[in-house]
Amino acid sequence: MKLTTAGESHGKGLFAIIEGLPANLPVHKEEIDRYLALRQGGYGRGARQKIEQDTVNILAGVRGGLTLGSPVCLCVENRDYVHWEAYMSPEQADVSAKRVTCLRPGHADLTGVLKFRQTDARNILERASARETAVRVAAGTVARGLLRELGVEVGGYVRSVAGVTDGREYTFEELGGVKDSPLFMPSAALCKQAMARLDAVKEEKDTAGGVVEVRVKGLKSGFGSCMTYGEKLDAALAGALMSIQAIKGVEVGMGFAAAQARGSEVHDEIFYGERGFYRKTNRAGGIEGGMSNGEEIVLRAAMKPIPTLMRGLNTVDLDTRAPARAATERSDVCAVCACEVIAESVVCFVLAQKVLERLGADTLQDVCERYAKLP
Ligand code: EPS
């Protein structure tokens, strides 16, 4: 299964084509819209989200709510395009207006203009923008539907915002209502602290990042492979998480903490009982040797603060090469909740890919039958 996305942040919309889905998979527009709305929420989001109310348009590959086995085409329109058509239209556009030359440190602006020989950072930032993730959430939600058919659930929460960190380990069930929290944090007290921290960050015209945790429950063992590096499940998941705008680090299970501890404190001892082989701990985060081991998959991703600061960092003007303050129009203070939804979505997509790689089949029924036969 393969995903291609297209679309600029202030263009007509975002588009996704998914190739390789089996036929007869239910696709629910309401479910996709629910995740799109979740991606837009969270304390710390900026004015753009008041303009956009993302909904999906399923353009191809689905008939009467079921996939046909043909490529699925999804679209999320940009409502803001009405304000940008004159500058962003593919046909006639005033490209001299809305130029961005005060390059933002931390964004793709500088490296992008040099690489693509541009004189306007707008031609870079329009695609580098995290707006693109809207359609990755849409595609990920289709993949979530496939996993659900196999009894696999994907959830998550925000573990840290602006330096306020929740160190507790939660069970999958405890995370059930966490999306009702303004920062997707299970602890109301820590959420309140984090919100106050974000208020201070906003006051100082600054931005903040955080850490999200994604959990996968119910995936059988053996997805991914130890045989070739290209097939490793953790490599694919880490790559997908790193591909989310602003992610600077990924952990699986104990992650970086494992490097500080002894082997006896890290490896999950193996037991055998009524339910077959099992472990009493899950420090590996459900992946050993590049394969799912049947325990819960635990992944964390660290998001850096958004590079558009309302107070503008020191930079250089692309035209004059003179010192300048970085460009600002409007910005999110923190988009860590959005990141959590996106992280779940890309994880869903990779897992569905791995399922189809192993069980590859024309129809959902074949996939389910083959999955049921696995130990
Ligand atoms: C973004 C800048 C902001 C964010 C945007 C990502 O948009 P704008 O420049 O239009 O104010 O709101 O994120 C989204 C639009 C979104 O839907 O997530 C950037 O430069 O990366």
Side-chain angles (χ1 to χ4, degrees):
M1 185 170 59
K2 189 177 146 204
L3 171 65
T4 304
T5 74
E8 281 70 43
S9 181
H10 302 96
K12 291 186 184 186
L14 290 314
F15 308 88
I17 293 189
I18 313 170
E19 284 175 60
L21 278 167
N24 305 326
L25 173 70
V27 176
H28 306 288
K29 174 180 158 50
E30 317 73 60
E31 187 188 12
I32 300 175
D33 288 347
R34 209 166 58 241
Y35 281 100
L36 288 175
L38 275 176
R39 192 201 69 93
Q40 291 196 273
Y43 199 71
R45 289 289 253 164
R48 175 76 187 269
Q49 299 312 320
K50 294 189 179 73
I51 300 170
E52 306 296 344
Q53 276 133 41
D54 293 341
T55 56
V56 73
N57 223 327
I58 303 169
L59 297 177
V62 180
R63 184 166 183 229
L66 297 177
T67 56
L68 294 167
S70 54
V72 168
C73 182
L74 307 172
C75 163
V76 177
E77 279 178 35
N78 288 326
R79 293 196 180 197
D80 209 12
Y81 184 60
V82 293
H83 307 121
W84 285 82
E85 189 168 4
Y87 321 107
M88 289 299 295
S89 165
E91 295 93 26
Q92 288 284 322
D94 178 1
V95 295
S96 60
K98 304 281 186 195
R99 279 187 78 226
V100 175
T101 60
C102 292
L103 310 161
R104 286 163 301 168
H107 214 287
D109 298 353
L110 172 58
T111 309
V113 291
L114 296 177
K115 176 177 166 71
F116 294 100
R117 296 195 188 198
Q118 297 292 340
T119 52
D120 179 1
R122 172 141 327 269
N123 287 347
I124 304 303
L125 69 89
E126 283 291 333
R127 184 63 188 157
S129 163
R131 176 87 190 126
E132 181 262 349
T133 60
V135 86
R136 277 203 274 171
V137 168
T141 308
V142 174
R144 188 188 288 270
L146 174 69
L147 299 174
R148 187 187 306 117
E149 298 287 336
L150 309 176
V152 179
E153 291 175 80
V154 178
Y157 69 104
V158 170
R159 197 171 161 86
S160 176
V161 181
V164 178
T165 300
D166 189 345
R168 223 191 107 187
E169 300 302 328
Y170 293 94
T171 64
F172 195 90
E173 288 65 32
E174 280 177 312
L175 300 174
V178 78
K179 304 281 196 311
D180 297 331
S181 147
L183 276 171
F184 298 179
M185 291 182 94
S187 154
L190 288 173
C191 181
K192 212 171 142 199
Q193 258 184 50
M195 285 164 77
R197 190 77 64 88
L198 287 183
D199 290 342
V201 168
K202 186 175 183 183
E203 190 69 25
E204 289 163 31
K205 300 190 168 169
D206 217 324
T207 57
V211 176
V212 304
E213 182 171 303
V214 177
R215 302 265 284 273
V216 182
K217 193 181 162 165
L219 183 68
K220 291 187 177 184
S221 69
F223 289 91
S225 178
C226 58
M227 294 302 172
T228 63
Y229 67 85
E231 291 175 291
K232 286 178 187 272
L233 178 61
D234 39 5
L237 289 168
L241 289 168
M242 285 299 298
S243 78
I244 300 170
Q245 289 81 342
I247 296 302
K248 295 303 266 185
V250 174
E251 288 186 318
V252 182
M254 260 181 106
F256 274 56
Q260 320 294 328
R262 294 176 178 215
S264 56
E265 299 164 324
V266 171
H267 302 297
D268 304 302
E269 292 181 307
I270 300 169
F271 301 89
Y272 190 82
E274 257 171 46
R275 61 176 177 121
F277 295 107
Y278 70 98
R279 300 152 180 91
K280 292 179 184 169
T281 52
N282 184 23
R283 300 162 188 143
I287 302 178
E288 287 172 305
M291 298 169 288
S292 60
N293 68 6
E295 304 293 331
E296 236 178 61
I297 294 178
V298 182
L299 304 158
R300 279 183 292 278
M303 184 188 203
K304 71 181 180 181
I306 285 163
T308 309
L309 275 70
M310 292 313 287
R311 69 163 125 118
L313 295 174
N314 287 323
T315 188
V316 168
D317 187 291
L318 185 61
D319 289 341
T320 63
R321 306 291 206 250
R325 301 297 277 186
T328 47
E329 269 171 35
R330 61 184 176 202
S331 174
D332 302 321
V333 175
C334 179
V336 77
C337 288
C339 178
E340 195 283 323
V341 179
I342 302 157
E344 281 188 33
S345 304
V346 302
V347 164
C348 286
F349 200 86
V350 167
L351 294 177
Q353 276 178 319
K354 291 289 175 191
V355 164
L356 294 173
E357 250 171 58
R358 189 176 183 198
L359 306 177
D362 296 327
T363 69
L364 177 67
Q365 292 83 343
D366 295 329
V367 178
C368 292
E369 279 168 29
R370 292 176 191 179
Y371 187 79
K373 284 190 191 137
L374 295 175

